[in-house]
Amino acid sequence: MTTLDEAVRTICQRARHAARKLAPRSRADKDTALHAIAQALEDHAQRILRANAADLEAARERGTKGAMLDRLMLDESRLAAVAASVRQIAALADPVGEVITRATRPNGLRIARVRVPVGVIAMIYEARPNVTVEASALTLKAGNAVVLRGGSEAARSNAVLAEVFVAAAKSVGLPGDAVQVLPFTDRDGVRALVQQSEFVDLAIPRGGEALIRFVTDNARVPVVQHYKGVCHMFLDTGVDLAMAERIVMNAKMQRPGVCNALECLLVDANDALRLLPPIAKALLAAGCEIRGDERARELVPAVKPASTEDWGHEFLDAVLAVRVVDGLDAALAHIADYGSGHTEAILTPSEGNAERFRREVDAACVVVNASTRFHDGGEFGLGAEIGIATSRLHWRGPMGLESLTTMKWIVDGEGQIRT
């Protein structure tokens, strides 16, 4: 009887063989496949949505609600956006084969660094069935194979999406094993996957804190973490109130359940009386629960008291922590203590304070006078993203095509020997 570990090993071995076949394929071959995949998603839309509806119904029966249901849901417009993102990936330049540097040594050797596929990617994620398609499309375009381990809550959606994706890729001659869904959705399946050091080159976990820690603790392959998004925004003295209110509302309430949504608002004490009450009023009217420190509650009595657990917490819901701080130094200290390295923002009329914030904040993305919601591969012009990495190596921020490549050195000579 085949054990779980043996089954996972076989899947990863097939992915390795597919990666070798896919790596040398031309951009034209890969783009043809991506266009076929986008069309197939549209052609099979009703089948995909039926599977997603079954996942949603099961999730509701388990008591899932709010932001988690929003992450899980596909509808016609979201599925159309997924198909559009696949076509956008096809339109992007192929990074494979790009010459990064080129030089000729004094002995005549011509030395170049070129981009090449990483190989086999293990993509581990929760909910978000759109990731099944977007991660597969990005890895395919970059010449990699991918083994997908989605969460049990989206098992039906992921299975149908992957089946449609693979059938379309195979129809134009690409290896079907380049995209595979791990049939095991428990943690044992994750553990087995991230220990396949012979066949898996990189693991990318994207999800909650417990999942990220489990992968990191058990992996025998390199891991790029897509950790939680505890995103802060500091309102500096003198910032335009109308601009601040508009940006805060967008950052918190446009989609509260995503990783680049605002989770903690810091307000300079020198201007909190002018700024905080009207912004809090707008948030409360929109249905946002505010949990604030004592100084925030003095200015806005409707604010609930914050606990120590609210600082550094990713709510992923219409809940916002608010703290009144003594200027930029205190804001920077709070972010250093509680930030997750995802996205940090400042709204300020002071270029000096903006520059300090840019220079001193340690995060994958620092935003000045704009919403945290812009930290996104599509908004940055990368096309669809595989996620937003909070690791420092080998990538940080939105992971698009370039992040799914590595490099190799090419040395061309004419009979030279080393002396």
Side-chain angles (χ1 to χ4, degrees):
M1 184 175 181
T2 303
T3 67
L4 180 147
D5 290 76
E6 290 170 341
V8 173
R9 176 183 168 83
T10 298
I11 289 169
C12 295
Q13 188 174 31
R14 294 205 309 263
R16 170 66 74 201
H17 291 157
R20 293 193 183 112
K21 295 177 182 178
L22 183 60
R25 298 298 288 265
S26 68
R27 173 181 178 175
D29 288 345
K30 293 182 288 188
D31 288 352
T32 296
L34 290 171
H35 283 292
I37 290 160
Q39 185 62 52
L41 291 170
E42 294 170 346
D43 292 344
H44 293 272
Q46 294 309 309
R47 180 183 168 207
I48 294 166
L49 294 177
R50 284 194 299 271
N52 185 249
D55 283 334
L56 285 167
E57 182 179 358
R60 292 189 185 99
E61 290 175 355
R62 292 191 301 269
T64 305
K65 55 185 179 180
M68 289 302 296
L69 278 181
D70 180 64
R71 288 179 168 194
L72 179 59
M73 185 188 72
L74 287 175
D75 56 21
E76 290 186 1
S77 63
R78 287 188 180 184
L79 188 56
V82 171
S85 74
V86 175
R87 292 189 174 97
Q88 289 167 5
I89 293 168
L92 295 172
D94 188 348
V96 178
E98 175 192 349
V99 178
I100 304 168
T101 62
R102 193 194 307 270
T104 301
R105 300 295 297 154
N107 62 4
L109 285 178
R110 300 181 301 281
I111 299 176
R113 280 192 301 151
V114 300
R115 292 198 184 281
V116 295
V118 170
V120 177
I121 309 292
M123 184 71 199
I124 303 148
Y125 55 104
E126 298 169 330
R128 299 185 186 278
N130 61 295
V131 174
T132 300
V133 175
E134 292 171 357
S136 299
L138 283 164
T139 51
L140 184 151
K141 175 88 174 196
N144 301 294
V146 64
V147 179
L148 302 158
R149 186 278 187 185
S152 58
E153 66 281 354
R156 300 172 185 83
S157 304
N158 292 339
V160 173
L161 286 166
E163 183 182 334
V164 170
F165 191 106
V166 169
K170 288 175 67 176
S171 73
V172 294
L174 292 192
D177 285 342
V179 174
Q180 297 183 73
V181 174
L182 201 69
F184 312 106
T185 57
D186 58 11
R187 289 294 164 89
D188 280 342
V190 175
R191 175 196 50 75
L193 178 59
V194 300
Q195 292 184 353
Q196 298 298 323
S197 55
E198 185 178 355
F199 301 117
V200 173
D201 299 291
L202 180 67
I204 303 175
R206 178 178 176 180
E209 183 173 357
L211 175 65
I212 303 294
R213 292 196 182 280
F214 183 87
V215 170
T216 303
D217 291 345
N218 287 275
R220 295 178 185 168
V221 302
V223 177
V224 176
Q225 297 179 349
H226 291 235
Y227 196 43
K228 60 185 180 182
V230 182
C231 305
H232 295 84
M233 184 174 290
F234 173 54
L235 303 186
D236 196 8
T237 294
V239 68
D240 180 78
L241 174 59
M243 180 186 79
E245 181 179 322
R246 184 174 67 252
I247 291 175
V248 170
M249 290 296 294
N250 177 261
K252 179 68 250 184
M253 298 303 292
Q254 186 193 42
R255 284 195 71 188
V258 295
C259 63
N260 57 15
L262 180 63
E263 300 290 22
C264 183
L265 182 67
L266 305 173
V267 186
D268 192 340
N270 290 323
D271 210 3
L273 179 61
R274 179 179 70 92
L275 294 170
L276 186 54
I279 291 174
K281 180 180 179 181
L283 287 164
L284 292 166
C288 182
E289 176 184 327
I290 303 177
R291 302 176 187 176
D293 68 350
E294 185 175 338
R295 290 198 284 183
R297 296 185 68 230
E298 287 175 357
L299 295 172
V300 186
V303 169
K304 296 181 179 180
S307 68
T308 55
E309 289 75 22
D310 290 323
W311 313 125
H313 186 75
E314 186 182 32
F315 297 106
L316 297 174
D317 204 347
V319 180
L320 181 67
V322 176
R323 190 173 195 176
V324 176
V325 296
D326 294 318
L328 180 57
D329 286 336
L332 291 170
H334 180 100
I335 291 169
D337 287 342
Y338 297 107
S340 63
H342 193 289
T343 311
E344 309 293 2
I346 183 174
L347 306 186
T348 180
S350 167
E351 179 52 37
N353 284 354
E355 183 53 32
R356 269 198 70 194
F357 198 86
R358 295 186 194 103
R359 185 175 63 249
E360 297 183 29
V361 168
D362 180 18
C365 181
V366 175
V367 181
V368 176
N369 292 331
S371 173
T372 57
R373 293 279 290 117
F374 284 110
H375 188 190
D376 173 84
E379 295 293 334
F380 285 4
L382 304 180
E385 66 183 27
I386 207 166
I388 295 177
T390 54
S391 301
R392 288 174 173 80
L393 295 175
H394 79 284
W395 197 261
R396 210 175 189 195
M399 291 190 71
L401 288 172
E402 183 182 348
S403 68
L404 297 172
T405 64
T406 183
M407 68 169 197
K408 68 179 176 183
W409 295 88
I410 304 294
V411 180
D412 289 312
E414 297 172 333
Q416 293 93 330
I417 61 172
R418 182 170 177 174
T419 58

